[in-house]
Amino acid sequence: MAVSVDIKKLLEAGAHFGHTSSRWHPKMAGYIHSKRAGNHIVDLVQTVKAIEKALPVIEETVAAGKQVLLVGTKRQAKDLVKKAAEETGMPYVTNRWVGGMLTNTTTINGRIKYLQDLENKMASGELESRFNKLEVQRFQEEIEQMNLLYGGIKDLRGKPGLVYVTDVVADHLAVKEARRLGVPVVGVVDTNADPTPIDYVIPANDDALKAIQLLLDYVVEAINAGKAKQKKEKAE
């Protein structure tokens, strides 16, 4: 997939606005264009190159039948990430990264199995037939609470092929666990973050809604291209 990344759209989305220069990470120096009114400005030429480098990796991961785990737990990102994940049928984490989500599969799989069991019993009416209204209500609340934590990874098939992180500072635990398992990370890295642990650094504003959405749009496009490629290869 040869995607033409529009630098003008990135500019309009505010992807170039970094953090205040006093909060910068020295290892981001190579991605910074200039300083304006005490804030660093991201070099969008580098951002375009980074996106164009990351998207084929996402596409090939999906074409190979692997999943892309989308992560965004900060307030601005969570709804956008969930929508992108649901559109593409990919796993996601948007509420809180529970320690061990990728590395402690025995415990996490146990929690998901328990959740799915509760959901099945609720749907079949088994809980309603065995418990009173108050107890059923408590089970429903437990299901809702667990879905906040595990709902997005119920269909995660083992280790994901790649992790996409919308803010590598807010979701440093996701980055850490992915690295421990050798799972590549595509991460949006603002001027205050360390790019070193990220395999595919996308230097950009990680706070602006429009920037988060635009980058996710590109990711969704790459995932869909990967699916189409996989379907075509299967047909052949």
Side-chain angles (χ1 to χ4, degrees):
M1 177 185 73
V3 173
S4 179
V5 180
D6 192 336
I7 196 166
K8 191 181 171 190
K9 281 185 180 177
L10 287 167
L11 195 66
E12 287 168 353
H16 57 302
F17 291 122
H19 283 273
T20 56
S21 54
S22 61
R23 288 180 60 203
W24 81 305
H25 197 292
K27 289 185 179 176
M28 282 299 287
Y31 299 104
I32 293 170
H33 177 273
S34 55
K35 191 159 74 171
R36 190 188 304 164
N39 293 315
H40 276 130
I41 302 298
V42 175
D43 182 356
L44 288 183
V45 172
Q46 298 251 36
T47 307
V48 170
K49 286 178 184 173
I51 297 168
E52 288 177 343
K53 184 182 175 186
L55 293 183
V57 177
I58 295 171
E59 181 184 345
E60 288 307 316
T61 299
V62 176
K66 297 174 185 175
Q67 292 173 302
V68 175
L69 176 61
L70 304 178
V71 182
T73 61
K74 68 198 290 183
R75 180 180 48 81
Q76 303 95 305
K78 54 172 60 184
D79 289 344
L80 303 180
V81 169
K82 186 179 180 183
K83 183 171 177 284
E86 287 177 344
E87 274 178 20
T88 54
M90 289 294 158
Y92 63 90
V93 177
T94 56
N95 191 61
R96 177 169 68 84
W97 185 273
V98 178
M101 261 184 173
L102 291 181
T103 53
N104 189 357
T105 51
T106 305
T107 300
I108 299 299
N109 287 346
R111 299 306 292 154
I112 290 170
K113 189 175 182 300
Y114 173 70
L115 168 60
Q116 290 172 325
D117 187 46
L118 267 187
E119 286 179 322
N120 290 336
K121 285 176 179 174
M122 182 66 80
S124 69
E126 185 184 332
L127 294 179
E128 211 171 350
S129 65
R130 290 175 55 196
F131 299 95
N132 64 41
K133 278 187 178 179
L134 185 61
E135 287 169 320
V136 171
Q137 178 60 33
R138 283 184 187 143
F139 279 124
Q140 185 57 47
E141 285 167 6
E142 187 179 7
I143 288 169
E144 287 166 11
Q145 201 59 40
M146 288 187 73
N147 265 317
L148 280 176
L149 294 176
Y150 307 111
I153 59 165
K154 279 195 286 195
D155 297 318
L156 178 61
R157 304 185 302 269
K159 191 166 76 169
L162 185 144
V163 177
Y164 176 81
V165 183
T166 57
D167 181 334
V168 299
V169 174
D171 289 309
H172 63 281
L173 288 176
V175 174
K176 191 177 176 183
E177 290 193 26
R179 282 189 66 78
R180 196 180 299 166
L181 291 177
V183 176
V185 177
V186 175
V188 181
V189 187
D190 211 326
T191 56
N192 66 326
D194 181 3
T196 313
I198 311 304
D199 300 282
Y200 300 92
V201 173
I202 297 177
N205 183 332
D206 60 15
D207 288 314
L209 277 170
K210 285 183 179 177
I212 295 168
Q213 182 64 70
L214 180 59
L215 293 173
L216 278 169
D217 287 344
Y218 284 124
V219 171
V220 166
E221 198 177 336
I223 290 172
N224 287 336
K227 284 184 167 185
K229 195 171 183 180
Q230 186 192 27
K231 196 176 178 183
K232 188 182 173 188
E233 284 170 1
K234 278 183 179 176
E236 290 169 355

